Each structure stands twice: as C-alpha cells, then as structure tokens.
Amino acid sequence: TTARTPGEPTWMDLATPDLDKAKAFYNAVFGWDYFDTGADFGHYNFALSQGRNAAGISQMQPGFPMPSAWTIYFSTADAAADVARVAQLGGQVIADVMEIGTSGKMAICADPTGAVFGLWEANEHVGAGVENEHGGMSWHEVATRDLNAARAFYGELFNLAPNKMEGMEYYIMQHGDDMICGVMQMDENWEGIPPHWMGYFTVDDTDAAIERAVAAGGKVMVPAFDMPYGRMAVIADPMGATFSIVKPPAA
C-alpha cells in the first residue's frame, strides 16, 4: 500500500506501559520486526511485516490517565478542516492537530458516542504499507451504544454511505463498493465496556495465533468463531490492550 483515500483507516498504534514487553508479545504473535525512531520521538517503534510498516508502538508516559489501547487513524487531506468538522458534528477534539516531524500531522478525537479515533494527514509516512496479509491491518469497527448517532457522524465526516447487514445491528460504511469500516450496536452483553474502535489484524491461522498469544502472556477475550468474512477472535495483550485477529476465508 503506497497511498490512501481520505476517510479510510490508514494506521494503528498502541500506547503501552511496557514497550519492551509489548514488542516481544507482538513479535511472538505476528512475527513483527521493529524500527526504533529514537529519543527525539520518544522511541516510537514502527512494527514491520515483510519489511513494511504495519503498525506503531509507543511507551506511555508515567501518570498517563488512559488505559493501554490501540488507536485507529483515518486518512485526511486536511487535518485542521476535519478537526473543525468533528466539533461541528458533535464530536470532541481531544488533541488538536500537531506536526510529527516530517511524517505528517495527527489529531485525536472522539465521536458523539465517546469512541476515540485519530486523524492522520500524511507527508512522508503514508500509513500502513501492508494490509490483508499476515501481521497487517485487516478491518476496523466501532462498537457504540448509539448506532444511529455514530453512523451519521462517520458518514458525514468521511463521506461514507451505510449498508446494513441482514439480521444484525451492524452497518458497513462504504465508499461506493469499497467497504471501509463497521458500526456495531452494543447491547447488554457489553455492560461496563465503553464505546471504542476495534482493529483487526490478518493472520495465516487464527487458532495458531491464539496459542502463540496465550503462550506470550496474552488473554483470549472472545474465543475463535467463524463468520462469512473469516475465522476471528479477540485478544488482550499482557498489558490489557485488546485487538482482533482474522484469517480471511478461502478465495
């Protein structure tokens, strides 16, 4: 992947209280190698799959008030303009636009239902260079307690059209025929869990990846299950950050 259309997920990164432990865990699960950007950038690490940027991992600062979590970033051609639109559409700007060296510009926002996401205006760093292959990004969905509000917000912000899945309170948000992300209604089974974005990584073998994750200190939050879109599971890393894995179905 060498370019991104505005309004599509372009990057995922992890804020963790134990950088070394996180790197070891994800190396065990996905086989990631790493590039450390150095002290000037807080030793932000690019995780590499097949030599290409797959995701980022950063060390949380002491006293950071949020739990360890993955953040999903959407591509934007104008971060400042989209941040203004987030506020106009009823969202919240958590961290206003900031330049990250020559890589690009970022901002952190929340939708009107409370789910946090990022915006990324690329310069030298386009985003993930590999996806839909082992260790690369695959899918992204927001779990929310107000599906209609979230659907309207992301549809307006990123110019996406909703397509409801039959038999589920779930919408696939699309650019034409391209499926960009999902919006899921949370029910009573989600008690105590705040609205959030969930990112999926592709794996060659879901059950084998689960075994590696558990052996490396992770926890299975949702055991492997089959869907028309592949065999999936939800994992928590040793520091509590959750992510999903999926082996796509055979062509």
Side-chain angles (χ1 to χ4, degrees), residues 95-137:
D96 210 341
V97 180
M98 65 189 85
E99 288 203 39
I100 310 299
T102 57
S103 293
K105 298 177 182 178
M106 65 169 283
I108 302 294
C109 304
D111 70 26
T113 76
V116 175
F117 65 96
L119 295 169
W120 181 254
E121 181 183 335
N123 186 16
E124 293 180 359
H125 174 55
V126 173
V130 58
E131 62 181 345
N132 297 322
E133 297 181 31
H134 181 80
M137 299 191 319

Side-chain angles (χ1 to χ4, degrees), residues 182-217:
V183 182
M184 174 191 295
Q185 177 67 48
M186 303 171 80
D187 59 21
E188 64 276 3
N189 295 317
W190 298 76
E191 186 66 35
I193 301 174
H196 62 279
W197 274 93
M198 172 65 75
Y200 291 68
F201 292 101
T202 301
V203 291
D204 290 338
D205 185 323
T206 301
D207 297 277
I210 289 172
E211 289 183 8
R212 294 194 300 272
V214 171

Side-chain angles (χ1 to χ4, degrees), residues 10 20 38 68 72 75 79 87 99 121 139 157 214 217 219 229 235:
T10 186
D20 290 338
S68 181
I72 295 166
S75 176
E99 288 203 39
E121 181 183 335
W139 183 244
L157 182 60
V214 171
K219 182 179 180 182
Y229 299 100
I235 306 293

Side-chain angles (χ1 to χ4, degrees), residues 138-161:
S138 179
W139 183 244
H140 309 82
E141 66 194 15
V142 61
T144 174
R145 289 191 168 80
D146 191 337
L147 182 150
N148 291 330
R151 182 188 65 193
F153 173 82
Y154 292 107
E156 286 288 331
L157 182 60
F158 297 128
N159 191 29
L160 301 173

